[in-house]
Amino acid sequence: MNSSEKKKQKEAFKAAYINKIEEVSGDCLAESSVLKQYQALAELVMDDITTQWAKSNTKYNKHQNKQVYFFSIEFLIGRLLKSYINNLGLEDIVTESLKELGLDFTAIQEQESDPGLGNGGLGRLMACYLDSSAAMDMPAHGNGIRYKYGLFEQRIINGEQVEVADNWLRNGYPFEIRKPDKAVIIKFGGTIHSEKINGNLTFVHENYEPILAVPYDIPVKGYHNETVNSLRLWSAETLEDFDLPKFNQGQFLDAVRHKSEAESISQILYPNDNGFDGKLLRLKQEYFFVCAGLKRIVRRYKQFNNNSMDGFSQKICIHINDTHPAMCGPELMRILMDEEGFGWDDAWKMTVESISFTNHTVLPEALEKWPVSMMKSLLPRIYMIIEEINQRFTQEIYAKYPHDMERNYGLSIINNDQIHMASLAIVASHSINGVAELHSKILREETFKGFYQVFPERFHSVTNGVTPRRFLMNSNPDLKDLLNESIGTQWQGNLFELKRLLNYLNDPIFSDKFNAVKLSNKIRLAEHIKKHNNLIVDPASVFDIQVKRIHAYKRQLLDALHVLYLYNQLKENPHLEIAPRTFIFAGKAAPGYYYAKQIIRLINAIAKMVNSDKTLNEKIRVVFLENFNVSLAEIIYPAANVSEQISTAGKEASGTGNMKFMMNGAITLGTMDGANIEIAEAVGPTNIVTFGLSSDEVSQYEKYGGYRSIDIYEKDPRIQQVMHQLIDGTLGFGLNFQNIYDSLLLHNDTYFVLKDFNAYVDAQNRVDQLYRNERTWTKMSMTNIAHSGMFSSDRSILDYQREIWKII
Ligand SMILES: *Cc1c(COP(=O)(O)O)cnc(C)c1O
C-alpha cells in the first residue's frame, strides 16, 4: 500500500468511526466515554467481518467441504477486538487513525471483557485450534455453552483467594449474533415407551421437560485471508417466559421459578480444572450442548444435501474435546434411529465414522463416571442407547477373548452402576488421541491398555500447540518487528521458519536488540505489578514465572519451598552471590479445593515476609498476581526469563503454557513430563534445564511403593528447616500450614515434592549460573524461539487433518 492510499484509507476509517460513535452513544467524539469508543470500534470491526462471514458460509454450503465441529464444554477465547483487527490486516490503519484522533487504543481495548468460558488449558486449546483452522482456510467450528457467568474473578484479600462472580455480559457483547430462528428444543426427564407405527418399532418420549436452546454465534476470523468460521455457543431458555396459567392464578413466584430453573443450565461454568464434579446440573449442561449442536448439524446437512443423510460421515467430523461431550455417541444414534429412521447397524457405522476423541488427562479424580440412576432419570432414551451400545460391545469382546474375563470386565462401559464416559467415548469413535507423546504412551500402556489391545488402530497422538498470532505476534509486537526486520516475514505463515534465527546466535547487534525487547516486556509487566500489587520489582532481575491453575500435581509448592529455602540461605549469608530474582506466581484455585487455596496463602505469606525484609538487599522478590486469565497471560509470557513447568512426571498431559513461554524466549525449567519432553528434544539438552523423577520412576513407586518422604526429611536439615517454617509461625502470626506439612510427611507426599526437592535446588542453581553468563543465556533464549515452530497450533491442526479427520 502506498502512502497516499493509506492516507485515504485512514480518512475513510476515521469518518466511519466518528459516525459510529455518534450512532452508538448519541455523543460526539469529544464527549464520548471510553466504553462507547470501544463499542463503536467493535461494531465497526463486526461490520467488516460479517460481510466476509456470509461469503464464507455460502462457500461452505455450495462446495460441501468436509466440516469439522469441535464439541467442548469450554472455550477460553480471550479478548477478540485486537485479534480481529490484526487478522483483518487493519492493524496500522486503526492504530494510526486512533492516535491521530487523540484516542488511547490500549484503554479502549481494556474495555472489552475477557470471556472466562473455560478453566485453563483445555478451553484455551480449543480457542487456539479455532484460530489455526481459520488461519489455514479449514472449515472447523466450535460448539459449546454460552455461560452467563464465566470462571470467577479472583481477588487476593489478606493473602487469600476470594471469588467474585464474572458478569462478563454486563455491558453486552458486541461479537455475538443471537439466532433465535435456529433454536432447538432439548428434552429432559420423562418416560420412554415403544410402539409399532406403520410396522416399525418406534420410541416415544413423554412427560419430558422441554428446554429451549438458543444459539449465539461468534465469528472466527482467519489471519489475512477470507475465511470466517463460527463458534456457536448455546444459551438455555424457557419455551415461554412465564408459565401463564400459574401466573394467572397468582402463583407469581412459581411461574418465575420455572424460568430460572430452565435458565440455570447455562448460568455458570463449573470452576474445576482437571476434576470431576458429578452434579446433576453438570450432566444437564453436557447433554444440552451435545443435543443442540448435533441437531443443528444434522439439519444443516440435510438442508444442503437434498434432504438426505447420504454421505454424512464422509462430510462431517464431530471432534469431542475430552469426555464432557461423550454423549455425542448415543445422541447421534438417537437422532439417526428415532428421527431419521436408520436401523442400528447403519446408524452405528455413521456414528463411529463421524466421531473422534481427544483425551486430556490421566488423573483418576478427573475421569467422568455418572451414576446409572442419574442418567436413567434425566436422559431415559440416552441411557437405553448406552446400555445397548455396551451390550453389543461386551458381547463382541467376550466372543473374541473368551478366556480373559477380568480384562473384559474392565472394558465394560457400565460398571458398578456407573457409566464410564471415557470408555463410551472410545467405543463410539474411530479415533482417540493423547495430547503429547508421553501422554499418548501412558494412554496406550496404562489408562486405556485394554482398549488399545482391542482397537490398536484407533490410537493416535497429536501434540498440543498454541497460536503464534495471539501469543507471539499480538502479545509481543516488539519481538514480531525484530523478527520481521531480521529473518523476514515468512515465519508468520509457517512458524518452522523461525529456524532462521539460528543464523543470528553470534550476532552481537541482533543480540542487543533482542535483549532490549525482553527488557521492555519485563518493564511492561513490572508496571502491572506496581499498579496491582503496589510493589516495585527490578526489570533487570531474573523473571522466574509459574502461572497456571493451582493444583497439587503442578507443584507450585515445590517452587514455593525453594523460595523459602533460598530466603534461608540469604539470611545465613547475605553476601551469597546470585543473580537477583523475581519469583512470579499467578493462578486460580477451584473454590472447593482447600489444599490449593492453602498454597495460594502460603505463596502470599512467603511474599510478604521476603518483600519486607530489608536485609536481603532486594536479591529476591516474590509476587502473586491476582486473577490469571488470557489477558493477563498475554502480558506475562513475553516477560519471562524462566518458565516453571515442574509437574510430577506423568501427570501433566501436555501443558501449553510451556509452549507460550518458549515462543517468547523463556528457558524451561521443567520435569520430563508432557510436552516438556518434546521441547527438550527440539532445543537439545543445553537449552533447557530439566530435573527430577521420570514418569517411569513415579509409576514404579506408585505401583510397588518404596518411597518414604520421612526418610528424606530426616536426612536433610535444609528440608527440616523449611518444613518447620510451615508450622512454627515464621510466616506470620497465627499462620499455620499444618495441612501442607501433613500432606508432605504424614500422607507420604503424593506428588513427590520432597523426593524432587534436591534435584530442583540443583537445577535452580544451574539456572542462576547460566543467567549470569549473558551471552549464553541470550543464545539459549534465541534457540528456544527458533525451535518453537513445532509448537504452533497450525502444526497440531495439520496433524489432526492428516491423521484423524483425513481431509485432503
Ligand atoms: C495457556 C493457559 C493455561 C494453561 O497453562 P498450563 O501451564 O499449560 O497449565 C491456563 N490458563 C490460561 C489463561 C492460559 O493462557
Side-chain angles (χ1 to χ4, degrees):
M1 198 183 341
N2 64 38
S3 69
S4 83
E5 213 173 297
K6 190 170 186 182
K7 188 152 184 253
K8 241 165 72 191
Q9 281 203 25
K10 283 199 283 187
E11 291 314 314
F13 171 82
K14 283 194 257 183
Y17 183 53
I18 289 168
N19 256 333
K20 202 52 134 180
I21 286 191
E22 289 167 3
E23 192 183 309
V24 304
S25 69
D27 280 322
C28 66
L29 176 65
E31 272 129 64
S32 63
S33 65
V34 190
L35 177 63
K36 289 295 171 192
Q37 291 164 10
Y38 154 69
Q39 286 170 341
L41 186 55
E43 283 197 21
L44 210 52
V45 165
M46 266 304 261
D47 290 344
D48 268 13
I49 288 177
T50 46
T51 314
Q52 289 189 12
W53 204 3
K55 280 192 201 144
S56 242
N57 283 329
T58 305
K59 188 173 119 193
Y60 289 157
N61 295 340
K62 271 210 193 98
H63 299 301
Q64 280 280 299
N65 315 51
K66 195 162 188 169
Q67 307 273 319
V68 177
Y69 295 91
F70 291 111
F71 278 63
S72 177
I73 204 155
E74 302 187 1
F75 286 89
L76 191 53
I77 55 180
R79 287 182 178 144
L80 296 183
L81 177 63
K82 187 72 194 313
S83 138
Y84 283 145
I85 289 171
N86 292 2
N87 288 358
L88 284 164
L90 294 176
E91 193 173 5
D92 291 350
I93 302 284
V94 172
T95 311
E96 289 170 28
S97 299
L98 293 179
K99 202 166 168 191
E100 289 165 22
L101 291 170
L103 300 175
D104 180 346
F105 192 17
T106 308
I108 288 174
Q109 290 174 59
E110 282 168 3
Q111 293 298 305
E112 180 177 353
S113 48
D114 182 341
L117 309 185
N119 276 284
L122 174 131
R124 184 54 236 175
L125 185 77
M126 283 296 100
C128 286
Y129 283 2
L130 288 177
D131 184 84
S132 282
S133 303
M136 296 188 297
D137 290 316
M138 287 234 338
H141 313 281
N143 186 77
I145 298 175
R146 180 181 181 268
Y147 300 105
K148 187 166 177 206
Y149 294 91
L151 184 63
F152 64 87
E153 278 181 34
Q154 179 196 56
R155 300 276 146 77
I156 301 296
I157 298 176
N158 296 327
E160 285 186 81
Q161 168 173 301
V162 173
E163 298 97 18
V164 178
D166 166 47
N167 188 4
W168 69 287
L169 291 166
R170 186 182 293 122
N171 298 322
Y173 187 61
F175 304 121
E176 64 182 7
I177 296 184
R178 177 183 162 91
K179 299 191 173 160
D181 49 317
K182 292 189 172 162
V184 296
I185 292 170
I186 317 294
K187 302 171 179 177
F188 289 108
T191 52
I192 305 292
H193 77 261
S194 55
E195 56 186 60
K196 277 251 153 77
I197 298 177
N198 302 330
N200 293 322
L201 189 65
T202 307
F203 292 89
V204 182
H205 197 170
E206 289 173 320
N207 303 316
Y208 54 82
E209 187 198 354
I211 304 278
L212 196 66
V214 181
Y216 288 70
D217 288 358
I218 298 172
V220 182
K221 169 77 191 87
Y223 178 71
H224 292 189
N225 64 18
E226 312 217 301
T227 295
V228 186
N229 293 331
S230 301
L231 168 57
R232 172 162 288 176
L233 300 177
W234 295 93
S235 179
E237 297 183 7
T238 37
L239 278 159
E240 265 129 313
D241 256 0
F242 294 103
D243 185 336
L244 265 184
K246 278 203 176 125
F247 189 72
N248 291 336
Q249 289 157 26
Q251 295 168 277
F252 180 74
L253 288 180
D254 277 0
V256 182
R257 188 169 302 134
H258 178 61
K259 175 177 160 71
S260 65
E261 272 172 23
E263 290 178 353
S264 70
I265 293 178
S266 56
Q267 198 75 2
I268 189 152
L269 165 75
Y270 277 85
N272 302 319
D273 188 65
N274 278 304
F276 173 56
D277 190 345
K279 297 270 161 48
L280 181 66
L281 186 59
R282 175 69 164 198
L283 187 60
K284 282 189 186 173
Q285 290 184 336
E286 293 184 355
Y287 183 65
F288 173 75
F289 83 97
V290 160
C291 175
L294 287 177
K295 277 191 171 181
R296 276 312 326 169
I297 290 168
V298 168
R299 247 180 249 186
R300 179 186 169 281
Y301 187 78
K302 288 173 70 183
Q303 186 187 343
F304 294 100
N305 197 50
N306 303 318
N307 208 31
S308 153
M309 287 294 282
D310 288 355
F312 182 81
S313 54
Q314 280 77 56
K315 291 288 187 185
I316 302 289
C317 299
I318 310 288
H319 195 90
I320 65 181
N321 192 38
D322 218 338
T323 59
H324 321 109
M327 278 183 283
C328 276
E331 173 63 12
L332 188 53
M333 287 297 285
R334 188 194 66 76
I335 294 173
L336 293 174
M337 294 188 302
D338 297 1
E339 295 181 4
E340 301 299 327
F342 287 93
W344 183 279
D345 291 337
D346 289 339
W348 184 244
K349 185 167 183 292
M350 288 166 79
T351 298
V352 174
E353 280 176 359
S354 311
I355 299 178
S356 45
F357 162 49
T358 296
N359 169 280
H360 280 268
T361 175
V362 297
L363 297 185
E365 66 265 33
L367 295 180
E368 286 197 293
K369 290 176 233 163
W370 290 104
V372 163
S373 58
M374 213 189 248
M375 186 75 81
K376 223 179 194 165
S377 60
L378 184 71
L379 301 165
R381 180 64 181 136
I382 292 301
Y383 179 69
M384 287 172 72
I385 295 172
I386 292 174
E387 249 191 335
E388 179 80 24
I389 291 172
N390 193 41
Q391 196 90 49
R392 290 172 184 246
F393 173 65
T394 46
Q395 262 167 21
E396 229 175 85
I397 296 302
Y398 289 175
K400 228 166 142 180
Y401 309 93
H403 307 299
D404 204 348
M405 291 315 275
E406 195 183 333
R407 204 272 314 265
N408 290 347
Y409 183 72
L411 294 182
S412 182
I413 296 166
I414 304 171
N415 230 324
N416 289 323
D417 283 325
Q418 289 179 315
I419 303 168
H420 291 236
M421 301 306 268
S423 309
L424 176 62
I426 294 170
V427 173
S429 54
H430 65 276
S431 167
I432 161 184
N433 72 283
V435 290
E437 293 290 345
L438 174 67
H439 171 58
S440 302
K441 176 172 178 281
I442 292 172
L443 293 185
R444 292 190 303 265
E445 295 176 2
E446 313 260 342
T447 321
F448 301 136
K449 189 175 173 191
F451 287 106
Y452 179 58
Q453 286 168 352
V454 181
F455 303 124
E457 74 290 350
R458 289 191 186 184
F459 282 71
H460 299 271
S461 183
V462 178
T463 299
N464 282 167
V466 300
T467 169
R469 266 85 49 194
R470 182 175 294 267
F471 290 109
L472 198 171
M473 293 155 65
N474 299 356
S475 63
N476 199 343
D478 294 346
L479 180 59
K480 180 195 74 180
D481 291 343
L482 178 61
L483 290 169
N484 285 345
E485 74 185 48
S486 52
I487 64 170
T489 56
Q490 291 92 329
W491 64 275
Q492 297 190 6
N494 174 6
L495 209 68
F496 284 101
E497 294 291 329
L498 285 175
K499 289 236 163 77
R500 294 166 190 242
L501 245 192
L502 296 174
N503 297 328
Y504 291 79
L505 288 185
N506 295 308
D507 180 334
I509 297 172
F510 181 90
S511 299
D512 285 351
K513 288 185 186 166
F514 180 81
N515 289 333
V517 168
K518 179 59 81 180
L519 183 65
S520 77
N521 290 325
K522 289 166 78 175
I523 292 171
R524 178 173 67 168
L525 180 58
E527 281 163 2
H528 181 95
I529 293 170
K530 174 73 184 65
K531 187 167 159 200
H532 290 85
N533 293 42
N534 193 28
L535 179 74
I536 292 174
V537 300
D538 180 4
S541 64
V542 185
F543 277 22
D544 176 327
I545 308 187
Q546 188 172 23
V547 291
K548 48 184 75 245
R549 286 300 288 258
I550 312 291
H551 205 295
Y553 86 83
K554 291 179 184 277
R555 298 200 297 192
Q556 280 90 359
L557 180 57
L558 181 56
D559 198 342
L561 292 183
H562 168 257
V563 176
L564 198 50
Y565 158 80
L566 193 57
Y567 168 82
N568 294 336
Q569 294 270 293
L570 283 167
K571 291 300 275 182
E572 241 175 68
N573 175 12
H575 301 293
L576 187 72
E577 274 218 29
I578 57 163
R581 276 244 208 159
T582 304
F583 294 96
I584 298 166
F585 296 85
K588 295 175 184 176
Y593 190 174
Y594 177 74
Y595 189 78
K597 290 179 140 178
Q598 286 294 103
I599 301 287
I600 292 176
R601 268 195 109 173
L602 174 63
I603 293 167
N604 281 295
I606 294 173
K608 196 169 168 191
M609 177 178 77
V610 167
N611 298 339
S612 60
D613 191 326
K614 300 275 187 290
T615 67
L616 301 176
N617 297 318
E618 299 179 7
K619 280 198 177 134
I620 57 174
R621 285 264 186 249
V622 183
V623 181
F624 190 98
L625 283 168
E626 70 182 6
N627 203 36
F628 184 55
N629 60 11
V630 177
S631 302
L632 183 54
E634 288 167 13
I635 308 176
I636 292 178
Y637 294 119
N641 297 120
V642 179
S643 158
E644 297 272 356
Q645 306 300 337
I646 59 179
S647 51
T648 310
K651 306 295 177 193
E652 186 78 272
S654 162
T656 48
N658 46 4
M659 302 168 186
K660 300 172 207 164
F661 277 113
M662 176 196 192
M663 223 172 252
N664 285 281
I667 309 305
T668 304
L669 166 52
T671 47
M672 287 304 246
D673 196 16
N676 297 353
I677 296 174
E678 287 151 81
I679 291 176
E681 271 168 25
V683 300
T686 55
N687 294 298
I688 185 169
V689 179
T690 62
F691 73 96
L693 293 175
S694 68
S695 68
D696 282 338
E697 288 167 327
V698 168
S699 84
Q700 292 291 310
Y701 282 128
E702 285 175 342
K703 269 192 211 137
Y704 308 113
Y707 170 51
R708 278 169 32 102
S709 57
I710 193 90
D711 294 344
I712 291 190
Y713 170 84
E714 279 173 351
K715 277 195 295 227
D716 193 334
R718 308 183 304 180
I719 290 182
Q720 286 162 21
Q721 187 182 10
V722 297
M723 289 298 291
H724 286 163
Q725 288 169 323
L726 294 178
I727 53 173
D728 69 3
T730 303
L731 294 166
F733 183 73
L735 263 183
N736 184 325
F737 297 97
Q738 188 71 43
N739 178 275
I740 294 174
Y741 182 94
D742 287 347
S743 76
L744 294 177
L745 292 181
L746 204 59
H747 307 305
N748 202 32
D749 187 13
T750 312
Y751 293 99
F752 302 90
V753 172
L754 297 187
K755 181 77 186 164
D756 275 346
F757 186 78
N758 276 318
Y760 183 58
V761 170
D762 291 346
Q764 283 285 17
N765 287 334
R766 267 181 278 149
V767 166
D768 179 67
Q769 294 296 325
L770 289 165
Y771 191 84
R772 286 199 274 160
N773 185 339
E774 191 183 299
R775 294 281 313 121
T776 306
W777 190 268
T778 305
K779 277 193 200 178
M780 288 175 76
S781 176
M782 285 164 58
T783 306
N784 268 268
I785 296 172
H787 291 291
S788 64
M790 103 132 236
F791 302 103
S792 163
S793 43
D794 297 358
R795 190 272 313 147
S796 310
I797 288 296
L798 288 172
D799 285 355
Y800 277 103
Q801 193 175 3
R802 242 193 330 262
E803 282 202 27
I804 295 173
W805 307 325
K806 306 270 164 69
I807 301 172
I808 13 32

